[in-house]
Structures are given as structure tokens and as C-alpha cells.
Amino acid sequence: QVQLVESGGGLVQPGGSLRLSCAASGSGFSIGVMGWYRQAPGKERDLVATITIGGSITYGDSVKGRFTISRDNAKNTVYLQMNSLNAEDTAVYYCKAAIQRLRPFQARDYWGQGTQVTVSS
């Protein structure tokens, strides 16, 4: 019933910026922590940033000072503003959300399909 859809990826030159969005759609659920993760070919999926429903934020070391995560609880949407992009940021970016269904009860993490970010001159 719940779907996470990412948007905003694409090709950008080094030093450029992109803004990713991830919207959760469906009914009969509530959302806890939301976050962004990324995975480059041949590498593990790494934490980019997470944000709680109350606004507490955690960033991965490689993006601190360059990326900003935010969310709009009314829209069930999480955003990732990416600035000062470099080639090492090239990866598929995945949205994750902790989702609880109310009836029947179920709680688990959901993942989006991913959106490609390529940083190249």
C-alpha cells in the first residue's frame, strides 16, 4: 500500500547543486524516521542523512557541511539539498522511511526505487 518515490536526480557538473525529493503515498500509515542512503557501483550502501519526525538530524561524514536534509510531515516528504557536488557523490540515492500501518499493525522500513545522481564535467 505504501510507496516511496524519489525525484530530482540527474547529471550535474562538479561544484553544482541538486535537490532530491521523496514522497510517501498511500493510506492508513504513519511515518517515523526518514533518510537518504547512496550506493555507488561495487560499494556498500552508505548513510547520507536521517531526520526524525521531530527534526533531529544525522549526517554521514562525507556530506557534512554540503548536504541538508529536511522534511514536511504534512506532505509525507523528505528532501535532500546537495551543494558543492563532486565526482565522489556519484551514486544511486535511495530514500528510506520507517512506516507503521495502523490496521492491521505492521512496522518496517520501506525503500524507494532510487534516483541516479551523476557528477561529471
Side-chain angles (χ1 to χ4, degrees), residues 43-113:
K43 298 183 179 180
E44 67 181 16
R45 187 172 297 186
D46 292 330
L47 168 71
V48 176
T50 64
I51 182 168
T52 70
I53 194 168
S56 297
I57 294 172
T58 299
Y59 290 107
D61 290 340
S62 64
V63 307
K64 289 179 180 177
R66 299 188 299 121
F67 292 8
T68 302
I69 190 172
S70 61
R71 66 189 287 170
D72 186 333
N73 293 332
K75 296 181 178 179
N76 292 331
T77 300
V78 63
Y79 306 94
L80 185 69
Q81 178 66 47
M82 305 185 293
N83 299 326
S84 301
L85 287 163
N86 57 62
E88 294 183 353
D89 296 315
T90 295
V92 177
Y93 284 70
Y94 296 92
C95 174
K96 187 174 81 171
I99 295 180
Q100 181 182 88
R101 296 177 180 174
L102 302 182
R103 288 191 292 270
F105 175 80
Q106 185 182 46
R108 74 173 184 89
D109 290 338
Y110 278 73
W111 290 88
Q113 290 294 111

Side-chain angles (χ1 to χ4, degrees), residues 18-39:
L18 285 173
R19 183 176 176 85
L20 306 183
S21 299
C22 173
S25 63
S27 62
F29 66 88
S30 61
I31 304 176
V33 173
M34 303 184 79
W36 291 94
Y37 297 75
R38 67 186 184 184
Q39 188 168 24

